[in-house]
Amino acid sequence: QWPQSDVDMIKGTVSDYVNGDSPFMAYYVTVSGHFYYDFSSNAMAKKNRSAVKGLDYSENVLGYLATQVELDRAMELLLSELENAGKLDNTVIVLTADHFPYNLSLNEINELSDYKRDLLIEANSNNLIIYNSKMKSVKVDKVGMSIDVLPTVLNLFGMEYDSRIIMGKDILST
């Protein structure tokens, strides 16, 4: 089936690291939310169609949202497994997107946006989430890029690095 399930990915891998005694780092690339965003060919859209039933969006946008439900459920499972293992409070989760939903038209992207986006820059506007169950919530409205994620996380951990080698900036700094 395509796309594959992010829930199945977490189920199949979380035991590899969550129950050990060593610190761990896991890197996931999710695929449940990939196009095409229709209910006839996309397995994740079909699987989660009932979760978006009744929402007031076009068919492709509903398909897109249905695919994202699978990531939500995968994150719910991951958080639950971390909590059950007593590791949630000592874990940092970083979520970022590498691109906008290519298969949606600009009009469809704008259905989901609270402001009018363009295809040049604003279609790519996205979020970076850095989560720890003990962190205080901070909202940053700066413009950043994917190259800014690593310096931001390194600085959060107080890790030294050579900024001549790692591009980007700490988006939490002033």
Side-chain angles (χ1 to χ4, degrees), residues 44-119:
M44 294 303 109
K46 284 188 233 180
K47 178 180 180 183
N48 297 305
R49 185 176 197 155
S50 64
V52 299
K53 185 179 178 185
L55 296 178
D56 190 25
Y57 293 109
S58 64
E59 192 75 2
N60 279 344
V61 172
L62 287 173
Y64 168 75
L65 292 173
T67 66
Q68 301 311 304
V69 168
E70 195 71 4
L71 174 58
D72 289 344
R73 291 180 176 156
M75 292 306 303
E76 179 182 36
L77 175 62
L78 177 60
L79 292 171
S80 175
E81 291 291 326
L82 288 164
E83 187 169 32
N84 291 341
K87 301 215 173 140
L88 182 60
D89 294 346
N90 198 28
T91 299
V92 174
I93 296 173
V94 179
L95 290 167
T96 189
D98 62 343
H99 58 78
F100 68 95
Y102 292 140
N103 194 239
L104 292 183
S105 70
L106 181 59
N107 286 339
E108 290 167 332
I109 290 170
N110 278 319
E111 284 182 52
L112 297 167
S113 182
D114 57 355
Y115 64 94
K116 189 168 175 66
R117 295 173 185 251
D118 61 50
L119 275 178

Side-chain angles (χ1 to χ4, degrees), residues 128 143-153 167-171:
L128 165 64
V143 173
M145 297 175 62
S146 58
I147 62 172
D148 298 327
V149 176
L150 183 57
T152 303
V153 172
M167 296 176 62
K169 62 187 182 298
D170 176 357
I171 59 173

Side-chain angles (χ1 to χ4, degrees), residues 127-145:
N127 295 301
L128 165 64
I129 299 169
I130 302 173
Y131 172 80
N132 171 270
S133 61
K134 297 293 186 182
M135 279 177 59
K136 200 171 55 170
S137 180
V138 175
K139 183 175 181 180
V140 178
D141 289 326
K142 288 182 187 177
V143 173
M145 297 175 62

